[in-house]
């Protein structure tokens, strides 16, 4: 009976130690994780707040100083080298500007997907490289086609 | 608490800014303000430098009235622009008109987060540092498009479209070459990239391992900053300033600021990626071992790091200012052809070459 009681008491003690150690380590690991995240991203968040403030301050500063002369139509109208503006500004634009962003949209994820492939070459060995080559090959065939069709010819 | 003791140890062994960076929370506002002050002073210096160098190339005297040697010229320009009237075009979209330059400024200012001036002297040592710069610099064309569209002007709109097309066309080769650099350094963190170049001194710079990359990065970053030979948008519609036409006062000043800030960011990234960052590149000299005092060495190293980085960055600035007055301007279609048909295949080829050399050496 004594042995049993001793065994119970030690196991209880052990369990309580483990539980408290677990809680402490969990709290500490949470706190270190929080500290890591905050110390890494806090400058970014604060900078994200400060830089719009900087640009908005410089937008707001002229208000007490700038001259507010009368507004007349000639001052506010669009600038066309001195003559009266002809036609509406938003009627048409050259359609050849439209494929450029589309090509950008296609090639930009190509580069973005190349980033995780290119950084750890020792972990993905030859199989990873060849699978990425297949992806790049498909995109290269596409770009050859659009080169031949003249989608990147300008004016 | 284990964390407090670790923090106390690290605080004691590094310099003031490192201290402020380790303690999380609002205290990290002080390095940010220091950085903003540094950026402001640098912009003033760059504006003055550009005018002086342009004057020397054109064999005339540069600014000499504002302050001694004309050093306060940028402040004079900025004050003048602050006092000008803010004209809002009729029938233009007022909110977009106001926000356009702000977005461009914000995206360029955010790029300063990941530029290292020393080993622990970076605002945010992210493991995806250069990727953050690439991603954020893609936001700038949105500001240009907003500016071009919201001024109710056909020429502004066309200029804004051309500016956005030029910006996004040269981002792809730029990104491919940055990717090749991070492939060589096995990391996208800017601090790791500089550290990987520090082994062999002068011959460990990435410029020797990626010579094509250096040239193409120069070209692409000049195109991103819209400087000659790619400054079509400021001068093609020669009497009209492209997407900046309808802007007056401080909003025009913000575009001016964006141009020079972008140039500064590009030159700092050239030094970080290709020219070895803050490393003094004389190989095998480490005379700091002679000093016994830790703190003095720390501050001396910090100052040396900043000085070396800025020297290399100003080298690139000098090159780009000289290029501005040396090369003729490119036409829009020549520009886009260069970006899509010449630089993009070269960048892909370079990436494949680098990958295969890395795999072979494994």
């Amino acid at each position: 009976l004594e042995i049993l009681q001793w065994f119970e008491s030690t196991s209880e003690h052990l369990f309580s130690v483990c539980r408290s150690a677990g809680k402490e380590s969990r709290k500490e690991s949470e706190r270190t994780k929080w500290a890591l995240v905050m110390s890494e991203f806090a400058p970014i968040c604060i900078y994200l707040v400060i830089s719009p403030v900087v640009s908005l301050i410089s937008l707001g500063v002229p208000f007490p100083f700038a001259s507010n002369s009368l507004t007349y139509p000639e001052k506010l109208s669009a600038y066309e080298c001195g003559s009266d503006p002809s036609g509406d500004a938003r009627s048409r634009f050259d359609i050849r500007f439209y494929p450029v962003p589309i090509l950008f949209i296609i090639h930009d994820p190509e580069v973005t997907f190349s980033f995780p492939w290119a950084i750890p070459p020792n972990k993905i060995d030859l199989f990873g490289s060849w699978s990425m080559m297949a992806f790049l090959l498909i995109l290269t065939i596409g770009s050859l086609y659009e080169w031949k069709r003249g989608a990147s010819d300008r004016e | 608490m284990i964390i407090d003791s670790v923090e106390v140890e690290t605080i004691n062994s590094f310099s003031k800014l490192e201290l402020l960076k380790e303690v999380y929370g609002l205290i990290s506002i002080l390095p940010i303000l220091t950085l903003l002050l540094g950026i402001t002073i640098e912009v003033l210096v760059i504006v003055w430098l550009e005018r002086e160098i342009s004057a020397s190339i054109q064999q005339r005297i540069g600014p000499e009235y504002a302050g001694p040697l004309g050093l306060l010229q940028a402040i004079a320009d900025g004050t003048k622009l602050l006092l000008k009237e803010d004209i809002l075009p009729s029938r233009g979209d007022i909110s977009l008109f106001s926000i356009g330059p702000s977005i461009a400024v914000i995206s360029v200012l955010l790029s300063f987060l990941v530029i290292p001036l020393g080993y622990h002297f970076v605002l945010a040592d992210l493991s995806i540092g250069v990727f953050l710069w690439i991603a954020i610099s893609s936001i700038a064309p949105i500001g240009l498009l907003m500016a071009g569209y919201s001024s109710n002007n056909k020429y502004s709109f066309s200029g804004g479209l051309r500016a956005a097309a030029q910006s996004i066309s040269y981002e792809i080769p730029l990104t491919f070459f940055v990717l090749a650099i991070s492939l060589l350094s096995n990391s996208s963190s800017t601090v790791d990239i500089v550290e990987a170049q520090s082994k062999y001194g002068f011959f460990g710079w990435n410029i020797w391992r990626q010579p094509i990359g250096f040239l193409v990065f120069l070209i692409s970053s000049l195109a991103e900053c819209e400087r000659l030979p790619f400054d079509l948008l400021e001068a093609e519609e020669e009497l009209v300033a492209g997407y900046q036409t309808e802007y007056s006062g401080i909003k025009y000043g913000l575009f001016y600021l964006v141009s020079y800030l972008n140039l500064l960011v590009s030159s700092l990234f050239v030094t970080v990626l290709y020219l070895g960052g803050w490393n003094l590149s004389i190989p095998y000299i480490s005379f700091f071992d002679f000093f016994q005092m830790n703190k003095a060495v720390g501050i001396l190293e910090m100052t040396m790091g900043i000085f070396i980085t800025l020297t290399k960055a100003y080298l690139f600035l000098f090159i780009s200012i000289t290029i501005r007055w040396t090369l003729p301007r490119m036409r829009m279609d020549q520009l886009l052809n260069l970006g899509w048909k010449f630089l993009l295949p070269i960048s892909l080829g370079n990436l494949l070459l680098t990958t295969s050399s890395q795999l072979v050496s494994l």
Side-chain angles (χ1 to χ4, degrees), chain A residues 25-72:
Chain A
S25 71
R26 236 184 301 125
K27 252 195 285 186
E28 278 183 15
S29 69
E30 272 179 23
R31 215 171 288 200
T32 42
K33 257 191 281 185
W34 176 245
L36 267 174
V37 166
M38 279 304 284
S39 73
E40 198 170 309
F41 286 104
I44 301 181
C45 301
I46 298 177
Y47 199 54
L48 258 177
V49 169
I50 287 186
S51 41
V53 166
V54 163
S55 56
L56 288 178
I57 281 179
S58 54
L59 282 184
V61 164
F63 275 108
F65 304 111
S67 60
N68 37 6
S69 39
L70 299 170
T71 61
Y72 46 92

Side-chain angles (χ1 to χ4, degrees), chain B residues 9-310:
Chain B
E9 275 178 32
T10 50
I11 284 169
N12 282 338
S13 58
F14 286 117
S15 57
K16 169 177 71 96
L17 281 167
E18 167 64 21
L19 176 152
L20 291 170
K21 195 169 78 76
E22 281 279 347
V23 178
Y24 56 85
L26 283 174
I27 307 183
S28 52
I29 204 171
L30 197 58
I32 294 180
L33 291 179
T34 317
L35 181 75
L36 281 175
L37 185 69
I39 291 175
T40 316
I41 295 177
E42 288 238 22
V43 168
L44 300 181
V45 170
I46 290 176
V47 171
W48 175 79
L49 203 64
E50 159 142 32
R51 291 170 85 141
E52 281 287 332
I53 295 177
S54 315
S56 306
I57 292 177
Q58 297 170 342
Q59 295 189 330
R60 57 180 172 89
I61 309 175
E64 57 182 13
Y65 292 113
L69 284 180
L71 282 168
L72 301 178
Q73 182 64 43
I75 300 183
D77 283 340
T79 318
K80 173 200 77 164
L81 285 172
L82 269 177
L83 299 177
K84 291 226 176 217
E85 179 184 352
D86 196 10
I87 301 177
L88 301 169
S90 63
R91 295 193 304 155
D93 205 336
I94 308 292
S95 46
L96 285 182
F97 191 74
S98 309
I99 294 177
S102 305
I103 289 191
V105 170
I106 290 170
S107 85
V108 172
L109 276 181
L110 280 178
S111 314
F112 280 97
L113 270 173
V114 290
I115 297 179
L117 294 172
Y119 187 68
H120 276 278
F121 210 173
V122 55
L123 265 188
D125 188 8
L126 302 172
S127 53
I128 51 163
V130 290
F131 193 52
L132 184 89
W133 170 55
I134 300 284
I136 289 182
S137 71
S138 303
I139 301 181
I142 300 181
L144 306 183
L145 270 175
M146 278 188 189
Y149 174 72
S150 57
S151 2
N152 193 24
N153 192 343
K154 290 195 276 293
Y155 303 108
S156 284
F157 186 40
S158 171
L161 282 176
R162 285 182 171 152
Q166 177 181 327
S167 269
I168 62 180
S169 301
Y170 282 87
E171 266 183 41
I172 313 264
L174 195 77
T175 318
F176 268 122
F177 279 102
V178 166
L179 184 62
I181 292 285
S182 45
L183 212 161
L184 281 180
S185 326
N186 277 333
S187 160
S188 320
S189 156
T190 47
V191 176
D192 285 344
I193 291 179
V194 176
E195 282 295 306
Q197 296 177 56
S198 63
K199 284 197 217 86
Y200 304 109
F202 185 64
F203 298 104
W205 285 358
N206 276 334
I207 185 176
W208 311 119
R209 301 161 89 188
Q210 295 260 302
I212 313 173
F214 179 63
L215 288 171
V216 176
F217 192 89
L218 270 180
I219 297 173
S220 306
S221 50
L222 278 179
E224 286 281 322
C225 305
E226 281 150 32
R227 289 184 66 83
L228 261 158
F230 303 109
D231 77 338
L232 201 64
L233 312 147
E234 298 180 343
E236 187 223 13
E237 298 116 358
E238 213 114 358
L239 298 166
V240 186
Y243 60 91
Q244 302 170 7
T245 314
E246 299 285 337
Y247 281 90
S248 64
I250 196 61
K251 296 191 181 123
Y252 183 70
L254 279 180
F255 277 124
Y256 189 65
L257 190 72
V258 165
S259 173
Y260 287 112
L261 273 178
N262 219 346
L263 189 62
L264 182 64
V265 169
S266 302
S267 49
L268 280 170
F269 266 102
V270 166
T271 65
V272 162
L273 295 176
Y274 288 99
L275 295 180
W278 66 78
N279 299 120
L280 183 62
S281 305
I282 307 169
Y284 310 122
I285 290 184
S286 51
F287 45 84
F288 296 121
D289 288 342
F290 296 142
F291 293 97
Q292 301 297 326
M293 303 186 302
N294 256 343
K295 256 206 180 99
V297 167
I299 296 183
L300 187 64
E301 270 188 48
M302 227 170 67
T303 328
M304 285 280 294
I306 303 176
F307 184 67
I308 291 172
T309 314
L310 287 180

Side-chain angles (χ1 to χ4, degrees), chain A:
Chain A
L1 196 60
E2 266 191 38
I3 299 178
L4 269 176
Q5 276 182 351
W6 173 86
F7 187 73
E8 257 184 344
S9 64
T10 46
S11 57
E12 226 177 302
H13 185 66
L14 267 173
F15 273 130
S16 65
V17 163
C18 286
R19 238 184 287 126
S20 64
K23 254 192 274 190
E24 253 189 38
S25 71
R26 236 184 301 125
K27 252 195 285 186
E28 278 183 15
S29 69
E30 272 179 23
R31 215 171 288 200
T32 42
K33 257 191 281 185
W34 176 245
L36 267 174
V37 166
M38 279 304 284
S39 73
E40 198 170 309
F41 286 104
I44 301 181
C45 301
I46 298 177
Y47 199 54
L48 258 177
V49 169
I50 287 186
S51 41
V53 166
V54 163
S55 56
L56 288 178
I57 281 179
S58 54
L59 282 184
V61 164
F63 275 108
F65 304 111
S67 60
N68 37 6
S69 39
L70 299 170
T71 61
Y72 46 92
E74 278 84 13
K75 186 164 73 168
L76 296 178
S77 66
Y79 179 68
E80 286 200 15
C81 306
S83 59
D84 293 326
S86 57
D88 190 27
R90 287 136 191 202
S91 49
R92 258 173 222 182
F93 64 92
D94 204 344
I95 194 63
R96 281 174 295 209
F97 284 117
Y98 190 65
V100 176
I102 294 188
L103 288 179
F104 173 72
I105 289 180
I106 294 179
H107 284 285
D108 198 38
E110 173 180 356
V111 184
T112 311
F113 287 135
S114 304
F115 260 94
W117 160 67
I119 312 280
N122 47 352
K123 292 202 190 111
I124 54 178
D125 281 335
L126 222 52
F127 173 67
S129 300
W130 279 109
S131 39
M132 194 62 188
M133 291 302 151
F135 174 63
L136 288 178
L137 183 72
I138 297 175
L139 281 171
T140 313
I141 293 176
S143 348
L144 273 174
Y145 174 71
E146 58 95 5
W147 186 330
K148 287 301 174 191
R149 285 283 288 188
S152 42
D153 283 335
R154 293 282 143 253
E155 295 178 35

